Amino acid sequence: MQTDNNEILSDEILDKSFLNTIEDALVIGSWELNLKTNILKWSRVTKKIHDVSINYTPNVDTAINFYKEGSSRIRILKLFNNALNNGENFDDEFIIVTPKGEEKWVRSIGHPKLENGKCVALRGVFQDITQKTVQTKKIAIKEKEFRSLFDNSLTGMAKVSLTGGWLNVNNSICRILGYSKEELLLLNFKDITHPKDLSIGSKELELVLSGKSDNFEIEKRYIHKNGKVVHCILSSTIVRDNNGHPQHFIANINDITEIKRSKNKISELLSISSKQNDRLLNFARIVSHNLRSHGGNLEMLLSLKKEDYPENTNDEYFPLMEEAIGNLNETIDNLNEVALYNSLEAEELEELNLLQFTNNAISNIAAYTISHNVDIQILIKDDLNVKGLPAYLDSILINFLTNSIKYKRPDVDPVIKLNANQTSEYTTLTISDNGQGIDLEKHKDKLFGMYNVFHKHEDSRGLGLFIVKNQIDAMGGKIEVESIVDQGTTFTLYFKN
């Protein structure tokens, strides 16, 4: 008999050990309330979940205090009373607060034990579900955020089946394609794809479905409900289950119709500009060729006059004519050289002496300066060089010098000052005059535009500043201006060293 009792005791110990192992593995505890003795028992795991010691003895009156005040405590009291009074089972989730102040989500299940229809005990299980609940709430928040993004995105977003059916669409897709949500959900994406674009994306789709890729991006055309073509960028990402099996696609559609139209307009303008440039180059070649002939004739006539009538070459003007014609022929040679350029590259620029070109420009307009009694002051070192094209630099200097004379103040002799300085990147040339000046508040934005004239003059065509601005830009430089009406203007030219 003693042996049988020992065996029974041993079996009970083994059963208890086995139950403890299960509880530890599942993190599920148990509890029992004996209503006859009013004794409440918690298993080891239940005590662990409550963050109390293994020797802790729970009390019916104080156990309720572990439940967080508010909905959790109200709910457990209601369910507990229903179990006691009505014999109802319960299974619900609550928040408890441990003695350490830590909040935990728990699941509590209760089953009443009835004798003669009266509840004599309550038994149940107790599980820590904090990690699962927090994770679920995070997922819920992410789903809410995604839903908000999906519904309110300015770009089209859609959930698309593996066979191409619209499962869900946002308002932006409806706006882009012109269909209502209800209309789109009855269609397949092929139904609104441009017929010539049906095969676009098929290779990318195969790669995604085969697991070799997760997303792709393509450009394709859709047909708007009104029949118009809509150019779009389609970005599609596949959604897979935990086993990697494809479930559906999330598509993002951006309407780029206006961008495509703008690009086409730009291409057309570039084509027109290219043709115009070709015409200008041909024009420059023709002009340089014809001017070369006229310049050669002038030089020959002057030479014949010098030989046949030497007595007429001793006045002060003949040397100026010789120098002017020589400079004219040099300019024509430079113009002919420029006409050969299709584009201006950095390596095509030459090193030019600024003082030499300034003196040449002044010589070219010597008659003009004499007739207007111009005082030209030059502060340029003889070793200052700039990067440029000879024809361009000639044109720039002559334009600014003649403009300073042309737009002088009435009854005031023109004074022009040229001053050059050098920095690490640029050589700056300031050309200052005491002329009429320009109202920059009115004209600054259109100062270098074509055909813009700011003063009345019979020779004004509105091309000079436009030409020099483009010439300076082409050589990698820039130009700045300061001006006061009736006091004068200062142009600062920046040339690459």
Side-chain angles (χ1 to χ4, degrees):
M1 189 67 180
Q2 182 67 40
T3 302
D4 292 341
N5 288 336
N6 288 339
E7 287 179 357
I8 292 172
L9 184 61
S10 176
D11 288 342
E12 288 179 352
I13 294 172
L14 286 172
D15 288 343
K16 189 173 182 180
S17 176
F18 179 66
L19 288 172
N20 287 339
T21 302
I22 293 175
E23 282 191 357
D24 289 338
L26 300 177
V27 197
I28 296 176
S30 60
W31 57 272
E32 181 178 2
L33 172 62
N34 190 322
L35 295 175
K36 294 178 181 179
T37 61
N38 205 33
I39 294 176
L40 177 63
K41 293 181 180 180
W42 286 351
S43 70
R44 187 165 53 86
V45 172
T46 301
K47 292 178 181 179
K48 185 177 180 181
I49 294 172
H50 282 84
D51 277 342
V52 294
S53 68
I54 196 68
N55 298 321
Y56 178 80
T57 300
N59 182 281
V60 176
D61 297 325
T62 58
I64 193 65
N65 295 329
F66 281 89
Y67 289 82
K68 187 175 180 179
E69 284 189 90
S71 62
S72 288
R73 188 175 295 183
I74 293 170
R75 233 171 38 254
I76 188 62
L77 282 171
K78 182 178 179 181
L79 293 172
F80 206 78
N81 288 329
N82 281 339
L84 292 176
N85 299 325
N86 304 319
E88 295 180 4
N89 297 332
F90 65 84
D91 182 349
D92 206 345
E93 296 177 358
F94 311 91
I95 300 175
I96 65 169
V97 182
T98 71
K100 298 178 181 177
E102 180 184 358
E103 289 190 2
K104 291 184 178 181
W105 277 92
V106 296
R107 180 186 181 190
S108 183
I109 301 174
H111 292 278
K113 181 182 178 182
L114 303 176
E115 289 182 2
N116 299 321
K118 183 179 179 182
C119 182
V120 295
L122 279 176
R123 296 172 180 172
V125 294
F126 204 74
Q127 182 182 13
D128 185 350
I129 59 169
T130 303
Q131 187 173 357
K132 184 203 76 171
T133 304
V134 170
Q135 190 64 29
T136 301
K137 287 183 178 293
K138 285 182 179 179
I139 293 172
I141 291 171
K142 288 181 179 179
E143 288 179 349
K144 185 177 180 181
E145 289 174 347
F146 175 77
R147 175 58 55 192
S148 176
L149 174 65
F150 185 94
D151 292 336
N152 302 312
S153 174
L154 295 178
T155 60
M157 293 188 71
K159 182 179 178 182
V160 185
S161 72
L162 299 179
T163 57
W166 302 98
L167 300 176
N168 195 7
V169 295
N170 70 352
N171 293 330
S172 292
I173 278 193
C174 297
R175 173 180 51 79
I176 291 169
L177 301 176
Y179 292 89
S180 68
K181 183 175 181 178
E182 292 74 20
E183 289 172 329
L184 279 177
L185 295 181
L186 296 175
L187 299 173
N188 187 290
F189 82 93
K190 292 182 179 179
D191 298 330
I192 57 173
T193 298
H194 193 286
K196 293 184 179 180
D197 290 356
L198 285 172
S199 60
I200 292 178
S202 55
K203 292 181 180 179
E204 291 83 354
L205 192 60
E206 289 177 8
L207 290 173
V208 170
L209 291 174
S210 64
K212 295 179 180 178
S213 176
D214 288 326
N215 52 69
F216 64 88
E217 182 176 284
I218 55 174
E219 181 179 331
K220 65 184 301 187
R221 292 168 292 177
Y222 292 98
I223 304 298
H224 193 277
K225 186 178 179 180
N226 62 16
K228 292 183 179 180
V229 176
V230 183
H231 293 265
C232 294
I233 294 292
L234 168 65
S235 302
S236 188
T237 301
I238 196 164
V239 177
R240 307 180 193 275
D241 62 17
N242 293 334
N243 297 318
H245 299 138
Q247 299 298 298
H248 56 264
F249 293 97
I250 297 297
N252 191 293
I253 296 176
N254 285 295
D255 184 357
I256 59 168
T257 305
E258 289 302 319
I259 295 174
K260 293 288 289 187
R261 288 174 183 166
S262 298
K263 284 184 176 180
N264 291 337
K265 287 181 181 178
I266 291 171
S267 297
E268 291 174 6
L269 290 173
L270 287 174
S271 177
I272 293 171
S273 298
S274 178
K275 291 176 181 178
Q276 289 177 338
N277 285 338
D278 290 341
R279 293 192 190 101
L280 287 172
L281 286 171
N282 289 330
F283 173 76
R285 294 188 183 100
I286 293 169
V287 169
S288 64
H289 178 269
N290 292 343
L291 284 179
R292 174 174 285 184
S293 298
H294 296 314
N297 286 335
L298 284 172
E299 190 172 31
M300 185 179 296
L301 289 171
L302 201 64
S303 178
L304 290 173
K305 181 178 178 66
K306 190 173 182 179
E307 290 179 5
D308 295 343
Y309 305 99
E311 67 278 5
N312 293 334
T313 63
N314 294 326
D315 59 55
E316 59 179 312
Y317 298 108
F318 192 85
L320 295 176
M321 292 173 62
E322 276 190 310
E323 187 174 2
I325 291 174
N327 288 335
L328 173 64
N329 284 327
E330 183 181 350
T331 299
I332 292 170
D333 288 338
N334 291 334
L335 179 60
N336 186 62
E337 185 178 341
V338 171
L340 298 176
Y341 292 141
N342 290 320
S343 61
L344 189 58
E345 303 292 342
E347 58 267 19
E348 295 170 344
L349 299 176
E350 301 177 23
E351 190 171 333
L352 309 174
N353 184 271
L354 187 56
L355 180 59
Q356 179 185 338
F357 273 80
T358 301
N359 287 329
N360 288 343
I362 293 171
S363 297
N364 284 336
I365 60 170
Y368 196 37
T369 58
I370 291 171
S371 64
H372 288 84
N373 197 28
V374 182
D375 178 15
I376 300 179
Q377 303 172 12
I378 303 172
L379 293 171
I380 302 174
K381 294 181 180 179
D382 58 8
D383 60 348
L384 278 183
N385 295 328
V386 298
K387 297 284 282 186
L389 288 179
Y392 281 11
L393 188 54
D394 273 341
S395 171
I396 291 166
L397 291 168
I398 290 174
N399 258 295
F400 279 116
L401 290 169
T402 55
N403 275 358
S404 293
I405 301 170
K406 186 187 301 183
Y407 301 113
K408 71 183 187 69
R409 279 183 286 163
D411 303 324
V412 177
D413 290 339
V415 177
I416 305 173
K417 298 178 181 179
L418 295 96
N419 189 4
N421 292 290
Q422 195 169 49
T423 65
S424 59
E425 186 177 1
Y426 292 103
T427 294
T428 60
L429 173 64
T430 58
I431 304 175
S432 302
D433 63 49
N434 62 339
Q436 298 177 38
I438 302 169
D439 189 342
L440 295 180
E441 289 187 6
K442 290 184 179 180
H443 306 304
K444 186 174 184 180
D445 292 337
K446 54 186 178 180
L447 188 61
F448 298 104
M450 186 180 290
Y451 305 128
N452 289 326
V453 178
F454 312 109
H455 301 292
K456 293 182 180 180
H457 195 283
E458 60 182 7
D459 293 333
S460 296
R461 297 292 183 270
L463 289 173
L465 290 179
F466 171 78
I467 290 172
V468 298
K469 174 68 164 60
N470 282 275
Q471 289 171 332
I472 291 173
D473 288 345
M475 294 189 297
K478 58 182 179 178
I479 181 170
E480 296 175 353
V481 60
E482 296 178 2
S483 188
I484 300 175
V485 177
D486 291 332
Q487 291 189 28
T489 303
T490 297
F491 287 96
T492 303
L493 315 181
Y494 291 80
F495 298 97
K496 287 283 188 180
N497 288 332

